[in-house]
Amino acid sequence: MCAIHQPNLLPRLSTLAKLYAADRWIVLDDVQFARRDYQHRARLAALDAPDRQQWLTLPTHLPHGRSTLISQARLVEPGRSERTVDLLVRQYYKRSCHWPAVRAVLDAVLEGCAGTDRVADIAETSTRVLLDSLGWRGEVLRSSAFPARTGRSQRLADLAAAAGSTNYLCGPGGQRYLDHEPFDAHSIPVVNFDTPVDESDCLWRWARRVSSLWALSAIGPQVLAARLDKARSENPARHQ
């Protein structure tokens, strides 16, 4: 089961849940960078009041303008970004009883900011560490390592096939546009994945808006992993 998704900085819980449900994450790093997406920013939610939110944004330079690929995007001021991430994450989550788990993610991001100006690398690292904290033991590959044809669905199908995947896990965003024909040509079934929709459950109410750091801080890695396991096992499309 493979999921293909762009590297997101401290990704939303809906994104993390999809990757957690997959056996393989292909990091889509060779498509156009989008400033209004989540490659260089995350929405932090206050620990005790998740409706109080603030953007954490890494100022990013696009050397080729709007045609810049995600892998080509660079931090404008790595040192400033490092300080901003450190300040805001501590401000929002240091009071959590699960702070050691959050701090491990923070330290990895800070180390990334200190070691590279590649936004994609920092975003990928933040996601890897979050997955690691939940006990995920899947494989991470990069789309730039594989040949793929143009066309949104064709590219995804080619990548899944090139990586040797037998199923493709498709989130709610992809379900709106995905053409199944290229996957059928590779004999790769498309499995839809949706996070629970339950406004009475605070965890899922904010899953598509705020960074997973809020959930990690609120309930800790063990309980969060159990909740994601439950979401994966109860996802109806997995049993088609």
Side-chain angles (χ1 to χ4, degrees):
M1 184 77 70
C2 97
I4 303 176
H5 203 280
Q6 299 166 359
N8 283 184
L9 178 66
L10 301 170
R12 297 166 294 164
L13 186 59
S14 56
T15 298
L16 195 70
K18 182 182 77 168
L19 301 181
Y20 183 86
D23 306 303
R24 174 179 296 138
W25 172 31
I26 301 178
V27 184
L28 193 61
D29 65 343
D30 57 353
V31 296
Q32 186 174 323
F33 182 93
R35 285 199 180 274
R36 300 183 72 176
D37 213 327
Y38 293 89
Q39 290 94 47
H40 69 311
R41 62 180 188 163
R43 189 184 276 114
L44 302 182
L47 182 61
D48 300 322
D51 57 334
R52 181 164 61 85
Q53 302 164 10
Q54 178 178 352
W55 281 109
L56 166 61
T57 303
L58 306 182
T60 299
H61 170 60
L62 305 183
H64 305 293
R66 293 182 62 183
S67 63
T68 300
L69 303 181
I70 292 174
S71 60
Q72 299 169 331
R74 296 292 188 268
L75 292 180
V76 174
E77 298 179 74
R80 180 182 176 185
S81 291
E82 183 180 353
R83 292 190 296 273
T84 298
V85 172
D86 191 25
L87 175 65
L88 285 180
V89 172
R90 288 179 182 275
Q91 175 183 321
Y92 271 76
Y93 304 119
K94 192 172 183 180
R95 294 183 295 105
S96 168
C97 61
H98 304 293
W99 170 245
V102 179
R103 185 176 59 194
V105 178
L106 172 61
D107 288 346
V109 175
L110 296 179
E111 184 178 345
C113 289
T116 182
D117 64 349
R118 289 168 52 92
V119 176
D121 289 353
I122 297 167
E124 179 185 328
T125 294
S126 74
T127 305
R128 282 176 179 260
V129 178
L130 278 164
L131 288 169
D132 288 347
S133 74
L134 302 176
W136 187 73
R137 295 294 179 264
E139 180 182 22
V140 179
L141 304 170
R142 292 182 178 177
S143 61
S144 53
F146 300 100
R149 286 169 284 182
T150 57
R152 183 180 278 185
S153 297
Q154 185 67 66
R155 170 188 285 270
L156 298 178
D158 285 354
L159 289 172
S165 303
T166 57
N167 294 270
Y168 174 69
L169 196 62
C170 183
Q175 292 169 32
R176 292 193 291 268
Y177 70 80
L178 196 72
D179 177 5
H180 286 221
E181 186 174 340
F183 290 89
D184 293 340
H186 285 297
S187 298
I188 298 177
V190 174
V191 178
N192 290 338
F193 181 84
D194 294 288
T195 52
V197 179
D198 184 355
E199 285 296 314
S200 66
D201 187 332
C202 197
L203 182 72
W204 298 116
R205 185 190 311 165
W206 303 106
R208 297 183 184 180
R209 287 185 56 82
V210 304
S211 168
S212 301
L213 280 185
W214 174 77
L216 186 65
S217 299
I219 62 178
Q222 292 183 332
V223 176
L224 181 55
R227 295 294 302 274
L228 295 188
D229 281 329
K230 186 172 185 289
R232 174 174 56 187
S233 64
E234 292 181 350
N235 191 67
R238 278 191 72 96
H239 307 292
Q240 291 177 348

